[in-house]
Amino acid sequence: MQSSFPIVPESASTFSGDVDALYFYISGITIFFTTLIGLVIIFFAIRYRRRNAYEIPRPIEGSTKLETLWSVIPFLIALSFFVWGTKVYFEQYRPPKNALEIYVVGKQWMWKFQHPTGQREINELHIPVGRKIKLIMTTEDVIHDLFVPAFRTKVDVVPGKYTMEWFEATKPGRYHFFCAEYCGMNHSGMGGWVEVMEPKDFDNWLSGNLSQVSPATAGRGMFESLGCVSCHGANAEGGRGPALLGVYGSNVVLSGGQTVTADEAYIRESIINPQAKIVNGFGPIMPSFQGQVSEEQLLQLVAYVKSLSTAKPETRTAKPPGLGPAQSANPVGSPK
Ligand code: CUA
């Protein structure tokens, strides 16, 4: 699928037009000045060539006016690249709040997707047109990079952390995506297709794949099978460990007095490396689950904790009486 301009891929997201405009602006200015300087060099080489063997050129003092001009003009042009580029960058790298969240795990050499309703896909991603899509991404092994040329966006997936990528497709179609970070032998084959569908087709597609368990429900199951319930409570209401109801998106006070926002990265770290940030009022008693849960399972646990806050936002500070994070009567290291 090509656009009218042959070397540019199809333009199919809300910001692909902006990226193209900036690209053509920078390319246009580069071509203009390269041509201008090239022609001037040729012109001067002919015009001021040495005409006889004994010719001595007239001494030149230099010109402040000219030098100022050829410093200030390029400076302003370079600044315009920066300002415009920053605008496009911020648009792309600040995901919107009301987006449909899809979990992505990269792995040598495939892309795995999971929808909030549970549908899983490999190297295929079905999305509705005209809807903001936010990808929450990580990798099981090395760094990869999810690049969708038609959407003009690409973001790395990095071991041990979550990165975000978002887009809103503007027209239905099938768009190629690639891995854009060299990741080993089959790097070049690590790609697939984004299938952008009309909303009703997308709903049909979703309901045709209903047999699957949502990430939050799967996370709930792991929460039980891994024994999290013994400290965080059967309904994550808290106990020897902090309550998880409503924790996602809230500000958590730590034992050192600092505050962190409980985002996906914080939840992930608290499972893999629980000692890194101890909630105020609780002891460092939680074991690490490093190596016991895969990246996909971690995302499911994160989805479960997130679901606890959307379901019951009013229980944001829920905690068992007399054992809350706000009270430090319970000495660190000696749980009830
Ligand atoms: Cu994955 Cu290159």
Side-chain angles (χ1 to χ4, degrees):
M1 244 180 277
Q2 292 288 306
S3 66
S4 47
F5 195 72
I7 61 166
V8 176
E10 181 92 356
S11 163
S13 79
T14 47
F15 39 58
S16 54
D18 289 354
V19 173
D20 286 356
L22 176 60
Y23 175 79
F24 285 121
Y25 171 68
I26 295 176
S27 306
I29 287 191
T30 308
I31 291 167
F32 173 77
F33 279 101
T34 306
T35 313
L36 180 72
I37 291 169
L39 290 177
V40 168
I41 288 173
I42 293 167
F43 173 75
F44 284 174
I46 296 168
R47 173 83 174 73
Y48 299 108
R49 70 187 183 280
R50 199 178 197 189
R51 281 155 217 268
N52 68 60
Y54 306 103
E55 191 176 354
I56 294 170
R58 185 165 52 85
I60 300 170
E61 281 302 306
S63 161
T64 315
K65 206 189 284 178
L66 255 182
E67 283 177 27
T68 309
L69 216 61
W70 72 48
S71 302
V72 170
I73 292 175
F75 172 70
L76 291 177
I77 292 173
L79 214 57
S80 73
F81 294 172
F82 166 73
V83 171
W84 193 349
T86 307
K87 185 186 157 284
V88 172
Y89 178 89
F90 276 106
E91 200 184 333
Q92 289 206 4
Y93 291 91
R94 280 198 293 208
K97 288 240 178 298
N98 54 346
L100 178 66
E101 292 185 347
I102 295 174
Y103 298 103
V104 182
V105 177
K107 162 182 192 212
Q108 282 168 325
W109 289 276
M110 64 175 82
W111 292 100
K112 298 190 272 190
F113 300 93
Q114 188 167 23
H115 292 260
T117 36
Q119 291 79 357
R120 291 166 177 283
E121 303 187 71
I122 289 180
N123 294 344
E124 287 264 335
L125 175 61
H126 289 73
I127 57 166
V129 71
R131 176 103 186 259
K132 294 182 172 66
I133 309 292
K134 174 177 162 188
L135 307 180
I136 299 170
M137 315 196 294
T138 190
T139 164
E140 272 176 36
D141 37 50
V142 299
I143 300 177
H144 305 275
D145 185 297
L146 186 68
F147 177 32
V148 193
F151 298 164
R152 307 289 190 275
T153 182
K154 58 196 276 241
V155 174
D156 275 7
V157 296
V158 182
K161 68 180 270 194
Y162 293 137
T163 53
M164 312 287 171
E165 179 168 357
W166 84 273
F167 41 75
E168 179 182 338
T170 50
K171 51 185 168 186
R174 219 169 131 70
Y175 306 106
H176 218 158
F177 68 77
F178 301 91
C179 176
E181 179 68 56
Y182 182 69
C183 57
M185 192 172 71
N186 292 336
H187 156 73
S188 62
M190 186 175 165
W193 297 89
V194 182
E195 185 86 46
V196 179
M197 310 169 93
E198 292 293 352
K200 65 172 187 339
D201 297 338
F202 178 71
D203 290 342
N204 282 341
W205 179 84
L206 271 188
S207 54
N209 290 274
L210 258 189
S211 57
Q212 299 163 57
V213 182
S214 80
T217 308
R220 161 87 222 176
M222 300 199 54
F223 189 74
E224 284 161 10
S225 63
L226 289 169
C228 312
V229 285
S230 64
C231 292
H232 290 287
N235 294 301
E237 73 279 11
R240 288 192 296 160
L244 303 177
L245 289 169
V247 81
Y248 175 74
S250 71
N251 290 321
V252 176
V253 181
L254 303 180
S255 60
Q258 317 92 306
T259 305
V260 291
T261 302
D263 56 7
E264 288 92 352
Y266 168 79
I267 298 167
R268 181 186 193 283
E269 182 187 56
S270 298
I271 299 166
I272 290 298
N273 182 14
Q275 311 301 327
K277 298 190 175 71
I278 304 288
V279 176
N280 190 32
F282 292 90
I285 54 168
M286 178 168 158
S288 164
F289 286 84
Q290 179 112 49
Q292 294 184 50
V293 280
S294 70
E295 288 297 340
E296 274 169 280
Q297 291 172 320
L298 269 171
L299 279 170
Q300 290 165 348
L301 283 166
V302 169
Y304 170 59
V305 173
K306 287 169 76 170
S307 73
L308 295 170
S309 70
T310 45
K312 298 183 177 174
E314 75 280 9
T315 53
R316 212 170 152 269
T317 52
K319 54 191 173 237
L323 201 73
Q327 292 159 21
S328 36
N330 188 25
V332 171
S334 64
K336 188 171 73 170

